[in-house]
Amino acid sequence: MSAFVGKYADELIKTAKYIATPGKGILAADESTGTIGKRFASINVENNESNRQALRELLFTSPGTFPCLSGVILFEETLYQKTSEGKPFVDLLMENGVIPGIKVDKGVVDLAGTNGETTTQGLDSLGTRCQEYYKAGARFAKWRAVLKIGATEPSELSIQENAKGLARYAIICQENGLVPIVEPEILTDGNHDIKKCAAVTETVLAAVYKALNDHHVLLEGTLLKPNMVTPGSDSAKVTPEVIAEYTVTALRRTVPPAVPGIVFLSGGQSEEEATLNLNAMNKLAVLKPWTLTFSFGRALQQSTLKAWAGKTENVAKAQATFLTRCKANSDATLGKYTGGASGDSAASESLYVKGYKY
Amino acid sequence: MSAFVGKYADELIKTAKYIATPGKGILAADESTGTIGKRFASINVENIESNRQALRELLFTSPGTFPCLSGVILFEETLYQKTSEGKPFVDLLMENGVIPGIKVDKGVVDLAGTNGETTTQGLDSLGTRCQEYYKAGARFAKWRAVLKIGDTEPSELSIQENAKGLARYAIICQENGLVPIVEPEILTDGSHDIKQCAAVTETVLAAVYKALNEHHVLLEGTLLKPNMVTPGSDSPKVTPEVIADYTVTALRRTVPPAVPGIVFLSGGQSEEEATLNLNAMNKLDVLKPWTLTFSFGRALQQSTLKAWAGKTENVAKAQATFLTRCKANSDATLGKYTGGASGDSAASESLYVKGYKY
């Protein structure tokens, strides 16, 4: 058979298409407890459940942001949290046209015999977990595979393992009503140039789509979350137009038109860089059969976190900052961003961390 | 590296794009000496070089047909033939905006241990041969891989062998200045339904594009020549709209946007069927990032051959018939064909031959 068309097929197609609506994108707010702890540490906020709830409530109740967002990726804890008035977050989001999603992978583990390459775990009982998440209101999922560039990396083993892991995850999600966001992140760490990143990205994406085909995944009911094609972190920077050209070329060579949307990760890019790059891609005068939009974590929240600093009296200011980034990225999906959305130095701050452990 | 960008890259991209011009398509006139002999036998014409030359001159001097054609695929003998006035065919074609192409494969051979499956030969000295063909005026090439549908077919071996053969052929062509037309034909023979054909087509095309990626083929400088997705020859027929839906869906799931054009083979379809199906695809209201056009042999020449019957006094009539089919297919690439281009019964005659040996 070609693509598996189960009982959720129509819903998956509809959801994926909606998430890919031009002008909208995804807020990646699925930081695990450990990861959010690092963010909190940088603003001297204690990592307890009420602070984690407070941050997400701040984000999800920011006035004016709903029209910019088609989805929010949540960590499991957040899926079951409520506003301070007692409304479940998932209900608040759904009522405002923002689809809740759920991170379902269980992090990376090393691949023995490789030079620090990893595979992602989380397939055990994934079907059952997806069913629970669906009941709780989630309608899409996310699974992050990680690859790196080096003299002998990514190895064929790493490419195959990660591609197949993504494919198994994707079909299990679809069997259980969740649109899988397929995320094969190639880290920027290294001194390679943009051509090398392009070559690796094309090779990895080709392997991913072959694996998705092997596993009968319904591409119309998926989204892709790739890295943008950029020089390595230790290499000289290039302009957004150059990034746009290499990125869109790589995607045109590997991503079939059946995929409704490509929702970029921001990696270590600053808020402003990520927005400018996304904008440049959407301005590029070449045919793109999928929407190009965002699925940003740090690149949407960095200056908002700083503005909040964990204090209730800062909430309104932080929410205004968040709105600024949401609008900037919404404009960028339409190629209409004119730059400098915020004079805030935080917006230009690089978020790159060498050997970043997610 | 990602795609191999050699000295011919710009020319390859330009040529492929031109061949894919909406409103134009390819005349497949590359019948080998043996194959044209079968055609001639059906109209009682002797299979000698002067008759082969006469047929091709008839086709290449048909008034009004040049605007409908972007390319003609030739057999090696024809590449070096001239009009009766002494002008090389390749010059005549090039002067009139029709790019000469050349069939470079050397036919199929059986894959031992399979149930009648085959692989295609022709890689030996292919680079040298391509250089010669380029010197002679060819700017694109064609290589036909053949797969079949059965209980256990196509086998993984058949898919891999044919995909890899196509990829090696493709990169060798590009190294030597010829745009490779990639043709993975899945025969219609059988009692399978259209869903089975769709599934096999998607699987085969996914394998083909994975192989092309592995071999560093520059997709922007290639064309795809696939079968349309139809029921098996022993199964009930369906409407052009159904064929269009399944075919375009299969292509959207597998063919990256970097490919500029898809030039369908007609297989055993009648002239009218092939045109109606192509038209329906171009009318389909869904985003297609590649041009959908024709590369027809029998479906462009059948009624023309019958009208000619090898007689000089029939040439004008035969040329008018040929013009009718060219215009019909040109319209079909724009979704503008209104049907019944010829009351000729030959236009509706099925050209299906069971177990057809090319």
Side-chain angles (χ1 to χ4, degrees), chain B residues 4-24:
Chain B
F4 169 73
V5 176
K7 68 178 190 176
Y8 292 106
D10 289 345
E11 186 185 348
L12 294 170
I13 292 170
K14 196 164 161 236
T15 299
K17 206 162 177 216
Y18 176 75
I19 292 175
T21 304
K24 295 181 185 289

Side-chain angles (χ1 to χ4, degrees), chain B residues 281-293:
Chain B
M281 286 181 221
N282 280 294
K283 289 182 76 166
L284 206 54
D285 189 20
V286 74
L287 194 153
K288 295 153 277 187
W290 359 254
T291 313
L292 298 181
T293 182

Side-chain angles (χ1 to χ4, degrees), chain B residues 77-206:
Chain B
E77 178 188 75
T78 322
L79 188 67
Y80 297 101
Q81 283 182 330
K82 302 173 162 70
T83 67
S84 37
E85 278 145 36
K87 170 172 275 200
F89 279 152
V90 297
D91 292 352
L92 172 66
L93 293 170
M94 280 302 269
E95 283 164 15
N96 285 283
V98 183
I99 302 181
I102 177 73
K103 185 234 298 288
V104 301
D105 72 75
K106 296 191 172 193
V108 301
V109 290
D110 285 349
L111 283 168
T114 68
N115 184 19
E117 291 179 294
T118 65
T119 187
T120 299
Q121 52 183 16
L123 290 177
D124 299 349
S125 299
L126 179 58
T128 310
R129 294 172 56 221
C130 287
Q131 286 168 24
E132 290 306 308
Y133 295 143
Y134 186 95
K135 282 198 201 103
R139 290 295 178 271
F140 71 94
K142 190 208 91 175
W143 169 291
R144 179 172 174 262
V146 184
L147 300 103
K148 68 180 208 175
I149 297 177
D151 290 335
T152 51
E153 291 85 22
S155 64
E156 186 61 17
L157 173 67
S158 162
I159 294 171
Q160 287 305 317
E161 273 305 295
N162 282 289
K164 286 169 191 202
L166 281 165
R168 270 303 287 151
Y169 140 80
I171 192 66
I172 291 170
C173 283
Q174 293 192 330
E175 288 178 279
N176 295 288
L178 302 182
V179 169
I181 293 185
V182 174
E183 180 178 357
E185 173 170 8
I186 300 158
L187 299 174
T188 56
D189 298 49
S191 56
H192 54 273
D193 61 15
I194 194 168
K195 287 188 182 195
Q196 173 73 342
C197 179
V200 171
T201 301
E202 289 172 26
T203 299
V204 169
L205 289 178

Side-chain angles (χ1 to χ4, degrees), chain A residues 136-149:
Chain A
R139 290 294 178 272
F140 71 94
K142 191 210 89 176
W143 169 290
R144 180 172 174 262
V146 185
L147 300 103
K148 67 181 207 176
I149 297 177

Side-chain angles (χ1 to χ4, degrees), chain B residues 224-245:
Chain B
L224 178 69
K225 180 165 171 170
N227 51 281
M228 297 184 191
V229 176
T230 68
S233 52
D234 297 334
S235 295
K237 291 206 180 276
V238 299
T239 64
E241 288 67 36
V242 171
I243 285 172
D245 198 20

Side-chain angles (χ1 to χ4, degrees), chain B residues 242-324:
Chain B
V242 171
I243 285 172
D245 198 20
Y246 277 92
T247 304
V248 174
T249 296
L251 299 168
R252 279 171 50 84
R253 289 175 175 175
T254 53
V255 186
V259 176
I262 296 179
V263 300
F264 291 98
L265 62 93
S266 47
Q269 296 181 34
S270 71
E271 291 175 325
E272 190 67 1
E273 273 179 327
T275 304
L276 288 172
N277 290 336
L278 180 62
N279 191 56
M281 286 181 221
N282 280 294
K283 289 182 76 166
L284 206 54
D285 189 20
V286 74
L287 194 153
K288 295 153 277 187
W290 359 254
T291 313
L292 298 181
T293 182
F294 57 93
S295 176
F296 293 167
R298 286 172 280 170
L300 266 173
Q301 301 181 56
Q302 177 74 358
S303 41
T304 302
L305 268 167
K306 289 213 149 114
W308 175 51
K311 302 187 165 77
T312 319
E313 59 268 30
N314 290 341
V315 167
K317 183 170 76 134
Q319 291 185 322
T321 303
F322 183 56
L323 174 62
T324 304

